Amino acid sequence: MCGRFALYEPSDIIQDHFGLDDASELVPNYNIAPGTGILGIAYYENSLVPMFLKWGLIPHWSKAKQTQYKMINARVETVWDKSSFRSAIRYRRCLIPASGFYEWKKTDSGKQPYFISVSGTNIFAMAGIWETWEDKSSGEVIDSCAIVTTEAQGAVKEIHDRMPVTIDRSGYKNWLDPMVQTRDQLKIYQLDHSLITVWPVSPKVNNPRNNGPELIQQVTP
DNA sequence: CCAGACGTTGTT
DNA sequence: GTCTGG
DNA sequence: CCAGACGTTGTT
DNA sequence: GTCTGG
């Protein structure tokens, strides 16, 4: 699955990579956790825009903004079938920029965190879906999102059985195309899994209050 | 029809 | 055990 | 995902 | 809102 990631590439590089018109000022973050605001890129009102999305999807029909369920991930195998995700996968897909993500491997002595990144780049895209929720009485509006997951690819298989769906640059257009509204039309071009690199990192990443480049340094578990 | 759930992961 | 906060 | 709280009354 | 279960 994907429950923590990092985005530390400079804003102007992110802007160029995704072809955005306006830059959003981002500080490097090595410990992005569910429930916080994250950067998503989506077509909205006919243009490609950066959006701040609360990580943890709140369905539009939800009565409370605090959802009982932790919808931080959506399985690609079933996302078209679930009532909570059906309209979002059809009409509101987004790219979620990342420099890498973390997965935890269960061991005899506990859980060991690993950092997963892509050779040759500090920026790639994870597949996301988003939704707008509005409080009918107060008028409060929250845009939220979930990261789409799939079975582990490449080197990730060694540590975990799930990971985010990645989208190769060649697949950005189709994934974001608002005219693509069916499972058959949606083509998922994932990154070449031979580029995926995995190494163990310090358990400092466990605490979401910790941050900084030391979190992605390789350690001996 | 109405009532009630609506999710994933990992662990048992 | 379960929920909230990060 | 993991870490850390989990409560009320009354007083400052 | 939409799907499943009864």
Side-chain angles (χ1 to χ4, degrees), chain A residues 106-121:
Chain A
K106 190 87 166 48
T107 66
D108 294 338
S109 53
K111 284 185 170 182
Q112 172 63 47
Y114 288 79
F115 186 65
I116 298 100
S117 55
V118 179
S119 297
T121 182

PDB file of all heavy atoms in Angstrom, chain A residues 106-121:
ATOM      1  N   LYS A 106       7.439  -6.417   7.495  1.00  0.00           N
ATOM      2  CA  LYS A 106       7.273  -7.085   8.785  1.00  0.00           C
ATOM      3  C   LYS A 106       8.427  -8.059   8.979  1.00  0.00           C
ATOM      4  O   LYS A 106       8.732  -8.860   8.096  1.00  0.00           O
ATOM      5  CB  LYS A 106       5.945  -7.845   8.807  1.00  0.00           C
ATOM      6  CG  LYS A 106       5.538  -8.373  10.159  1.00  0.00           C
ATOM      7  CD  LYS A 106       4.769  -7.334  10.938  1.00  0.00           C
ATOM      8  CE  LYS A 106       4.045  -7.883  12.146  1.00  0.00           C
ATOM      9  NZ  LYS A 106       4.763  -8.753  13.048  1.00  0.00           N
ATOM     10  N   THR A 107       9.088  -7.948  10.131  1.00  0.00           N
ATOM     11  CA  THR A 107      10.192  -8.863  10.425  1.00  0.00           C
ATOM     12  C   THR A 107       9.963  -9.448  11.815  1.00  0.00           C
ATOM     13  O   THR A 107       9.059  -9.031  12.533  1.00  0.00           O
ATOM     14  CB  THR A 107      11.551  -8.132  10.429  1.00  0.00           C
ATOM     15  OG1 THR A 107      11.570  -7.216  11.530  1.00  0.00           O
ATOM     16  CG2 THR A 107      11.792  -7.375   9.141  1.00  0.00           C
ATOM     17  N   ASP A 108      10.821 -10.380  12.200  1.00  0.00           N
ATOM     18  CA  ASP A 108      10.695 -11.004  13.518  1.00  0.00           C
ATOM     19  C   ASP A 108      10.857  -9.966  14.629  1.00  0.00           C
ATOM     20  O   ASP A 108      10.254 -10.078  15.683  1.00  0.00           O
ATOM     21  CB  ASP A 108      11.745 -12.114  13.693  1.00  0.00           C
ATOM     22  CG  ASP A 108      11.484 -13.261  12.731  1.00  0.00           C
ATOM     23  OD1 ASP A 108      10.334 -13.390  12.278  1.00  0.00           O
ATOM     24  OD2 ASP A 108      12.429 -14.009  12.424  1.00  0.00           O
ATOM     25  N   SER A 109      11.685  -8.958  14.356  1.00  0.00           N
ATOM     26  CA  SER A 109      11.968  -7.970  15.390  1.00  0.00           C
ATOM     27  C   SER A 109      11.115  -6.714  15.269  1.00  0.00           C
ATOM     28  O   SER A 109      11.403  -5.701  15.869  1.00  0.00           O
ATOM     29  CB  SER A 109      13.457  -7.602  15.340  1.00  0.00           C
ATOM     30  OG  SER A 109      13.814  -7.213  14.029  1.00  0.00           O
ATOM     31  N   GLY A 110      10.071  -6.753  14.436  1.00  0.00           N
ATOM     32  CA  GLY A 110       9.201  -5.589  14.285  1.00  0.00           C
ATOM     33  C   GLY A 110       9.015  -5.220  12.829  1.00  0.00           C
ATOM     34  O   GLY A 110       8.979  -6.096  11.959  1.00  0.00           O
ATOM     35  N   LYS A 111       8.933  -3.927  12.577  1.00  0.00           N
ATOM     36  CA  LYS A 111       8.743  -3.473  11.199  1.00  0.00           C
ATOM     37  C   LYS A 111       9.919  -2.623  10.760  1.00  0.00           C
ATOM     38  O   LYS A 111      10.331  -1.709  11.464  1.00  0.00           O
ATOM     39  CB  LYS A 111       7.454  -2.646  11.082  1.00  0.00           C
ATOM     40  CG  LYS A 111       6.189  -3.475  11.101  1.00  0.00           C
ATOM     41  CD  LYS A 111       4.980  -2.591  10.871  1.00  0.00           C
ATOM     42  CE  LYS A 111       3.726  -3.442  10.641  1.00  0.00           C
ATOM     43  NZ  LYS A 111       2.548  -2.590  10.370  1.00  0.00           N
ATOM     44  N   GLN A 112      10.447  -2.931   9.589  1.00  0.00           N
ATOM     45  CA  GLN A 112      11.570  -2.174   9.036  1.00  0.00           C
ATOM     46  C   GLN A 112      11.080  -1.314   7.881  1.00  0.00           C
ATOM     47  O   GLN A 112      10.549  -1.839   6.906  1.00  0.00           O
ATOM     48  CB  GLN A 112      12.654  -3.150   8.556  1.00  0.00           C
ATOM     49  CG  GLN A 112      13.795  -2.506   7.785  1.00  0.00           C
ATOM     50  CD  GLN A 112      14.579  -1.511   8.632  1.00  0.00           C
ATOM     51  OE1 GLN A 112      14.946  -1.782   9.765  1.00  0.00           O
ATOM     52  NE2 GLN A 112      14.813  -0.320   8.066  1.00  0.00           N
ATOM     53  N   PRO A 113      11.261   0.027   7.977  1.00  0.00           N
ATOM     54  CA  PRO A 113      10.860   0.874   6.849  1.00  0.00           C
ATOM     55  C   PRO A 113      11.868   0.845   5.701  1.00  0.00           C
ATOM     56  O   PRO A 113      13.074   0.705   5.933  1.00  0.00           O
ATOM     57  CB  PRO A 113      10.784   2.278   7.468  1.00  0.00           C
ATOM     58  CG  PRO A 113      11.665   2.233   8.671  1.00  0.00           C
ATOM     59  CD  PRO A 113      11.706   0.810   9.147  1.00  0.00           C
ATOM     60  N   TYR A 114      11.363   0.975   4.483  1.00  0.00           N
ATOM     61  CA  TYR A 114      12.184   1.048   3.271  1.00  0.00           C
ATOM     62  C   TYR A 114      11.750   2.257   2.467  1.00  0.00           C
ATOM     63  O   TYR A 114      10.565   2.633   2.479  1.00  0.00           O
ATOM     64  CB  TYR A 114      12.001  -0.196   2.398  1.00  0.00           C
ATOM     65  CG  TYR A 114      12.651  -1.441   2.970  1.00  0.00           C
ATOM     66  CD1 TYR A 114      12.038  -2.155   3.999  1.00  0.00           C
ATOM     67  CD2 TYR A 114      13.869  -1.910   2.487  1.00  0.00           C
ATOM     68  CE1 TYR A 114      12.627  -3.293   4.532  1.00  0.00           C
ATOM     69  CE2 TYR A 114      14.466  -3.052   3.010  1.00  0.00           C
ATOM     70  CZ  TYR A 114      13.844  -3.736   4.032  1.00  0.00           C
ATOM     71  OH  TYR A 114      14.429  -4.858   4.560  1.00  0.00           O
ATOM     72  N   PHE A 115      12.698   2.847   1.753  1.00  0.00           N
ATOM     73  CA  PHE A 115      12.378   3.940   0.840  1.00  0.00           C
ATOM     74  C   PHE A 115      12.438   3.412  -0.581  1.00  0.00           C
ATOM     75  O   PHE A 115      13.383   2.699  -0.940  1.00  0.00           O
ATOM     76  CB  PHE A 115      13.366   5.097   1.012  1.00  0.00           C
ATOM     77  CG  PHE A 115      13.026   6.320   0.205  1.00  0.00           C
ATOM     78  CD1 PHE A 115      11.862   7.037   0.466  1.00  0.00           C
ATOM     79  CD2 PHE A 115      13.870   6.760  -0.802  1.00  0.00           C
ATOM     80  CE1 PHE A 115      11.544   8.174  -0.272  1.00  0.00           C
ATOM     81  CE2 PHE A 115      13.569   7.904  -1.543  1.00  0.00           C
ATOM     82  CZ  PHE A 115      12.398   8.608  -1.272  1.00  0.00           C
ATOM     83  N   ILE A 116      11.439   3.732  -1.361  1.00  0.00           N
ATOM     84  CA  ILE A 116      11.353   3.257  -2.744  1.00  0.00           C
ATOM     85  C   ILE A 116      11.385   4.464  -3.672  1.00  0.00           C
ATOM     86  O   ILE A 116      10.570   5.384  -3.538  1.00  0.00           O
ATOM     87  CB  ILE A 116      10.062   2.439  -2.986  1.00  0.00           C
ATOM     88  CG1 ILE A 116      10.042   1.191  -2.095  1.00  0.00           C
ATOM     89  CG2 ILE A 116       9.972   2.018  -4.450  1.00  0.00           C
ATOM     90  CD1 ILE A 116       9.213   1.285  -0.867  1.00  0.00           C
ATOM     91  N   SER A 117      12.338   4.470  -4.599  1.00  0.00           N
ATOM     92  CA  SER A 117      12.451   5.590  -5.537  1.00  0.00           C
ATOM     93  C   SER A 117      12.712   5.044  -6.933  1.00  0.00           C
ATOM     94  O   SER A 117      12.736   3.829  -7.144  1.00  0.00           O
ATOM     95  CB  SER A 117      13.556   6.540  -5.097  1.00  0.00           C
ATOM     96  OG  SER A 117      14.764   5.840  -4.951  1.00  0.00           O
ATOM     97  N   VAL A 118      12.902   5.946  -7.876  1.00  0.00           N
ATOM     98  CA  VAL A 118      13.033   5.570  -9.278  1.00  0.00           C
ATOM     99  C   VAL A 118      14.394   6.025  -9.790  1.00  0.00           C
ATOM    100  O   VAL A 118      14.738   7.212  -9.670  1.00  0.00           O
ATOM    101  CB  VAL A 118      11.900   6.210 -10.121  1.00  0.00           C
ATOM    102  CG1 VAL A 118      12.041   5.847 -11.599  1.00  0.00           C
ATOM    103  CG2 VAL A 118      10.534   5.769  -9.585  1.00  0.00           C
ATOM    104  N   SER A 119      15.174   5.103 -10.322  1.00  0.00           N
ATOM    105  CA  SER A 119      16.510   5.434 -10.820  1.00  0.00           C
ATOM    106  C   SER A 119      16.460   6.556 -11.839  1.00  0.00           C
ATOM    107  O   SER A 119      15.605   6.558 -12.723  1.00  0.00           O
ATOM    108  CB  SER A 119      17.147   4.210 -11.486  1.00  0.00           C
ATOM    109  OG  SER A 119      17.328   3.189 -10.547  1.00  0.00           O
ATOM    110  N   GLY A 120      17.377   7.520 -11.680  1.00  0.00           N
ATOM    111  CA  GLY A 120      17.527   8.568 -12.678  1.00  0.00           C
ATOM    112  C   GLY A 120      16.600   9.750 -12.529  1.00  0.00           C
ATOM    113  O   GLY A 120      16.648  10.679 -13.336  1.00  0.00           O
ATOM    114  N   THR A 121      15.733   9.755 -11.515  1.00  0.00           N
ATOM    115  CA  THR A 121      14.854  10.905 -11.333  1.00  0.00           C
ATOM    116  C   THR A 121      14.464  11.063  -9.868  1.00  0.00           C
ATOM    117  O   THR A 121      14.430  10.079  -9.119  1.00  0.00           O
ATOM    118  CB  THR A 121      13.577  10.774 -12.191  1.00  0.00           C
ATOM    119  OG1 THR A 121      12.773  11.944 -12.021  1.00  0.00           O
ATOM    120  CG2 THR A 121      12.748   9.562 -11.792  1.00  0.00           C
TER     121      THR A 121
END
